[in-house]
Amino acid sequence: MKNLSPFIDDTNTFFDNVLKAKRKSQKDETYKDRIELLKPSIRVNYKNFDDNFSDKSLATLSAHGYLDQEKDDLLKMYKYDNNIFQKLKTDVTTTKTNRIINTCQNCTINEINSFDHIVPKDEFPEYAVNPKNLFPSCTKCNGHKSTVWRSSGESVFLNLYLDSLPQVQYLFCKPIIENELVTVSFVVENVKGIDNNLFKLISTHYSRLELPQRFRENSHDTIYELSKEIKKYKDKVPRGELIQTIKDSIVEDKDYYGFNFWKSIIKEALIENEEYLELVYK
């Protein structure tokens, strides 16, 4: 899981460009005109969003209250496959080293195939195409998030544009070995002194997206690959040297994919588990 850099240009210009790119439909020739009439209020709403974004207080936003035709018109502006949104996805997922991240950072399991509306578009149609409100995601995470995004005025999910992830471990993996079958379980714990408010957000993010369970369900390939690597080299490389090489690789992966990347956590837990090592060294 990695932080991504948010959109840095003018959000109103982005809105205008989305509207400009909409094709005029013979079935609804006045659509663009209706959106133009909403622009003054949209400008005010976008200013509010920018202010709350800067203050990291999006969970305190109040909806404008667009209903019926106006709401439908604003929601119709968003279409994931539109070239403008695809360019936005590329821009915010491209790192400073020109690496494009195509894995959903809400879960680090699936490919990106949607945008997560950080502030839900059904409740806040005014932000349906606000680029700072669009986070590249997978449809599974979007399905888990649904419309529940805050509780008692506080967000229940990480905003990976704004919430800086701690560079200490909070995701832990426990190997389970029964009849030579290796499985794992995951738990999120604050044993490294993470700020309580940040850790609460991390905990609710992981639990509401069911990440420990999803990591476990997707862990088998990682376990197999690690076991295969050890068995391939166990008779060619001294045990201590091989384990150290794997540990060095884990450190590199954590730097590349994120400090609490679940695959790295699996490998780290297994390589430090004597029962597992005895099994693969048989």
Side-chain angles (χ1 to χ4, degrees), residues 106 114-124 133 137-150 155-157 204-205 207-210 214:
N106 279 323
S114 68
F115 274 110
D116 163 30
H117 285 79
I118 299 168
V119 173
K121 67 180 185 298
D122 189 64
E123 182 180 353
F124 293 84
N133 191 42
S137 184
C138 68
T139 52
K140 187 154 189 175
C141 282
N142 267 335
H144 280 297
K145 292 185 77 171
S146 186
T147 58
V148 180
W149 66 289
R150 60 183 171 182
S155 176
V156 295
F157 293 102
T204 57
H205 182 95
S207 62
R208 286 177 178 267
L209 293 184
E210 299 181 2
R214 292 167 64 190

Side-chain angles (χ1 to χ4, degrees), residues 62-199:
S62 296
H64 181 277
Y66 293 108
L67 296 172
D68 304 324
Q69 183 73 68
E70 292 180 343
K71 178 178 180 178
D72 290 343
D73 286 345
L74 289 170
L75 292 177
K76 199 181 296 184
M77 290 189 69
Y78 173 75
K79 187 177 181 181
Y80 173 71
D81 292 334
N82 183 289
N83 289 337
I84 292 178
F85 296 109
Q86 289 302 300
K87 182 180 184 304
L88 173 66
K89 183 183 78 169
T90 299
D91 289 345
V92 300
T93 58
T94 301
T95 67
K96 294 179 180 179
T97 57
N98 288 323
R99 168 199 168 205
I100 297 178
I101 300 174
N102 196 40
T103 302
C104 169
Q105 292 306 297
N106 279 323
C107 65
T108 62
I109 298 173
N110 302 318
E111 287 186 359
I112 294 168
N113 55 10
S114 68
F115 274 110
D116 163 30
H117 285 79
I118 299 168
V119 173
K121 67 180 185 298
D122 189 64
E123 182 180 353
F124 293 84
E126 58 266 37
Y127 304 132
V129 298
N130 187 312
K132 292 183 180 178
N133 191 42
L134 301 175
F135 187 85
S137 184
C138 68
T139 52
K140 187 154 189 175
C141 282
N142 267 335
H144 280 297
K145 292 185 77 171
S146 186
T147 58
V148 180
W149 66 289
R150 60 183 171 182
S151 176
S152 300
E154 295 183 355
S155 176
V156 295
F157 293 102
L158 288 163
N159 181 333
L160 292 171
Y161 288 143
L162 298 175
D163 299 315
S164 297
L165 293 169
Q167 295 303 297
V168 296
Q169 189 170 350
Y170 55 76
L171 179 65
F172 296 89
C173 172
K174 178 183 177 182
I176 302 168
I177 303 174
E178 297 177 348
N179 299 322
E180 298 191 351
L181 174 65
V182 182
T183 58
V184 293
S185 63
F186 290 88
V187 64
V188 174
E189 294 181 333
N190 188 7
V191 298
K192 301 290 185 178
I194 300 170
D195 173 79
N196 287 335
N197 290 329
L198 177 58
F199 181 73

Side-chain angles (χ1 to χ4, degrees), residues 34 36 42 141 144 147 175 228 230:
R34 296 197 303 270
E36 287 289 345
I42 291 294
C141 282
H144 280 297
T147 58
K228 181 181 177 182
I230 293 174

Side-chain angles (χ1 to χ4, degrees), residues 223-263:
I223 296 170
Y224 169 76
E225 290 165 3
L226 177 62
S227 300
K228 181 181 177 182
E229 181 180 7
I230 293 174
K231 289 176 180 178
K232 180 179 179 179
Y233 293 105
K234 68 177 184 178
D235 296 325
K236 303 175 183 178
V237 180
R239 176 167 168 166
E241 183 178 332
L242 177 56
I243 291 174
Q244 187 57 53
T245 298
I246 294 172
K247 287 183 177 180
D248 291 343
S249 176
I250 290 170
V251 171
E252 292 177 4
D253 284 348
K254 283 187 173 185
D255 181 62
Y256 191 78
Y257 294 108
F259 199 88
N260 286 275
F261 182 51
W262 61 281
K263 291 185 178 181

